[in-house]
Amino acid sequence: MKFATEYLWFDTKGKREYINVTGKVRDIVRASGVSEGMVLVSAMHITAGVYVNDAEDGLIQDIDEWLEKIAPFDRNYRHHRTGETNGDAHLKSLLVHHEVIVPITKGELDLGPWQQVYYAEFDGRRRKRVIVKVMGE
Amino acid sequence: MKFATEYLWFDTKGKREYINVTGKVRDIVRASGVSEGMVLVSAMHITAGVYVNDAEDGLIQDIDEWLEKIAPFDRNYRHHRTGETNGDAHLKSLLVHHEVIVPITKGELDLGPWQQVYYAEFDGRRRKRVIVKVMGE
Amino acid sequence: MKFATEYLWFDTKGKREYINVTGKVRDIVRASGVSEGMVLVSAMHITAGVYVNDAEDGLIQDIDEWLEKIAPFDRNYRHHRTGETNGDAHLKSLLVHHEVIVPITKGELDLGPWQQVYYAEFDGRRRKRVIVKVMGE
């Protein structure tokens, strides 16, 4: 049984950003030598997410507006009594979910033709990371 | 270590449909000979989802109405500038999530009494598929 | 390859409760002897969820209010024709998702500094359970 564990670091310029990490995940899988298995891609923060969807800029803006609509920035979250101002980022993270599992078949990510793995930053401008863990043989 | 990889194909008559795939997943797990492990059930498209919940027709209608309420069809998504009209289906997919992992114990899906695995089609009337990947021993 | 399977039982006093299960999951992982792998934490019910986020009481109240806002209690769900009154709990479960996978590295949960695993009860006051399944070597 083989394992590989890598950490991807991010330090976004914007508060919210959507970063395609498919190529990096693919490289880690290929380097692992795993032919059959699964790779976990999981944000290690509670104000970020990881999801699989389309690499289309218009859609990414739609996603961002939609998230802001149903999990909006608001001064009045109880969480802000701790001194934080990122209550909305926690809710956006819950909505999008913080991790995905991608299957590996014949040494490659077994994704559909349009599926791309995205890191979604909801409270950026600080160093944050994602774990990529490959498991298989 | 054992692996089994199968693809389930769908070509729904409706735009949106909810299809119980528990029996098919169970058959794949049994055929795999895996006694302990996990099975990934993951849509290979960005306008479909996979979730675990109840096989109750009223609830399925409630889920469909609720999804349409918070991720509605709308002519004005930016994504539609590409010629697509399925922006809402991408958002519904994000909300429901595109994959689940089901544990396997003693050769069977280790689900609660009411848990069923559903394929949720949000942009149907075309051939689409789900990967079912079993991993264990 | 090693596996460990445990079930955590809950019988909450409240209708909705959020219970930090990180310590219990950690204990199960340590007892399993798995050094590299993954642990699945998955609700076995369709009116409960499992998520990873912050152990901050204000935030937990924010999450609860937010879930009630976008997936509210309502007398008129079709699901209630079966005699149930918990349609909202099914929708909340879909939104939060019913399971997470946590990576295991060097025998420990490989979580970020603020990440905690929560059981989210949306229809409590009855005995319910979560499966914790460790897989690795």
Side-chain angles (χ1 to χ4, degrees):
Chain A
M1 201 168 174
K2 290 175 186 164
F3 297 92
T5 308
E6 301 282 345
Y7 303 89
L8 305 177
W9 287 90
F10 303 90
D11 193 352
T12 64
K13 288 181 181 168
K15 177 85 170 169
R16 298 207 299 274
E17 286 193 21
Y18 302 85
I19 299 165
N20 190 335
V21 297
T22 317
K24 288 187 176 171
V25 174
R26 184 177 289 123
D27 289 347
I28 293 167
V29 167
R30 286 179 182 166
S32 74
V34 165
S35 169
E36 290 290 317
M38 298 180 192
V39 54
L40 173 70
V41 185
S42 184
M44 300 186 76
H45 299 264
I46 52 192
T47 53
V50 174
Y51 69 83
V52 167
N53 215 287
D54 200 357
E56 198 278 297
D57 288 344
L59 180 71
I60 290 169
Q61 281 186 273
D62 291 330
I63 290 170
D64 187 65
E65 285 186 13
W66 176 70
L67 290 173
E68 183 57 22
K69 189 175 148 198
I70 57 179
F73 175 81
D74 187 323
R75 291 184 185 281
N76 300 314
Y77 290 117
R78 283 190 182 81
H79 182 50
H80 295 178
R81 295 178 192 167
T82 64
E84 293 283 357
T85 57
N86 60 5
D88 70 301
H90 290 270
L91 302 182
K92 288 176 173 93
S93 165
L94 274 183
L95 188 62
V96 157
H97 219 58
H98 76 288
E99 35 107 322
V100 297
I101 293 263
V102 180
I104 302 165
T105 306
K106 295 177 187 164
E108 293 290 338
L109 299 178
D110 201 349
L111 291 168
W114 300 100
Q115 286 186 306
Q116 301 282 303
V117 185
Y118 269 82
Y119 173 68
E121 177 60 79
F122 299 125
D123 188 27
R125 298 176 194 140
R126 55 179 95 178
R127 261 170 74 77
K128 292 167 86 167
R129 63 183 176 152
V130 162
I131 183 170
V132 181
K133 187 144 200 143
V134 187
M135 182 169 159
E137 76 177 19
Chain B
M1 200 170 175
K2 290 175 187 166
F3 296 93
T5 307
E6 300 282 344
Y7 304 90
L8 305 178
W9 287 90
F10 302 91
D11 194 352
T12 63
K13 288 181 182 169
K15 178 85 168 168
R16 298 207 300 273
E17 287 192 19
Y18 303 84
I19 299 165
N20 190 336
V21 297
T22 317
K24 287 186 176 172
V25 174
R26 183 176 289 124
D27 289 347
I28 293 168
V29 167
R30 287 180 181 166
S32 74
V34 166
S35 169
E36 288 291 316
M38 297 180 191
V39 54
L40 174 70
V41 185
S42 184
M44 300 186 77
H45 299 264
I46 53 193
T47 52
V50 174
Y51 68 84
V52 167
N53 214 287
D54 200 357
E56 199 278 297
D57 288 345
L59 179 71
I60 290 169
Q61 280 184 274
D62 291 330
I63 291 170
D64 187 66
E65 285 185 13
W66 176 69
L67 290 172
E68 183 58 22
K69 188 174 149 198
I70 57 179
F73 176 81
D74 186 322
R75 291 184 185 281
N76 300 314
Y77 290 116
R78 284 188 182 81
H79 183 50
H80 295 177
R81 294 177 192 168
T82 63
E84 293 283 359
T85 56
N86 59 6
D88 69 301
H90 289 270
L91 302 182
K92 288 176 173 92
S93 165
L94 274 182
L95 188 63
V96 156
H97 220 56
H98 77 288
E99 35 108 323
V100 297
I101 294 264
V102 181
I104 301 165
T105 306
K106 296 178 187 163
E108 293 290 337
L109 300 178
D110 201 347
L111 291 168
W114 301 100
Q115 287 185 305
Q116 301 283 302
V117 185
Y118 269 82
Y119 172 68
E121 177 61 80
F122 299 124
D123 188 28
R125 299 176 193 138
R126 54 179 98 178
R127 260 169 74 78
K128 292 168 86 166
R129 63 183 176 151
V130 162
I131 183 170
V132 181
K133 188 146 198 140
V134 187
M135 182 169 160
E137 75 177 18
Chain C
M1 201 169 174
K2 290 174 185 164
F3 296 93
T5 307
E6 300 282 346
Y7 303 89
L8 305 177
W9 287 91
F10 302 91
D11 193 352
T12 64
K13 287 182 183 170
K15 178 84 170 170
R16 298 207 299 275
E17 287 192 19
Y18 302 84
I19 299 166
N20 190 335
V21 297
T22 317
K24 288 187 175 171
V25 174
R26 183 177 289 124
D27 289 347
I28 293 167
V29 167
R30 286 179 181 166
S32 75
V34 166
S35 170
E36 290 290 316
M38 297 180 191
V39 54
L40 173 70
V41 185
S42 184
M44 300 186 77
H45 299 264
I46 51 192
T47 53
V50 174
Y51 68 84
V52 167
N53 215 288
D54 201 356
E56 198 278 297
D57 288 345
L59 180 71
I60 290 169
Q61 280 186 275
D62 291 330
I63 290 170
D64 187 64
E65 285 186 13
W66 176 70
L67 289 172
E68 182 58 21
K69 189 175 148 199
I70 58 178
F73 176 81
D74 187 323
R75 291 185 184 281
N76 299 313
Y77 290 116
R78 283 189 182 81
H79 182 50
H80 295 177
R81 294 177 193 168
T82 63
E84 293 283 358
T85 56
N86 60 5
D88 70 301
H90 290 270
L91 302 181
K92 289 176 172 92
S93 165
L94 275 183
L95 189 62
V96 157
H97 219 57
H98 76 288
E99 36 109 321
V100 297
I101 293 263
V102 180
I104 301 165
T105 305
K106 296 177 188 165
E108 292 291 337
L109 299 179
D110 202 346
L111 291 168
W114 300 100
Q115 287 186 306
Q116 300 282 303
V117 185
Y118 269 83
Y119 172 67
E121 176 61 78
F122 300 124
D123 187 27
R125 298 176 195 137
R126 56 179 97 179
R127 260 169 76 77
K128 292 167 85 165
R129 63 183 177 151
V130 162
I131 183 169
V132 180
K133 187 147 200 141
V134 186
M135 181 170 161
E137 75 177 18

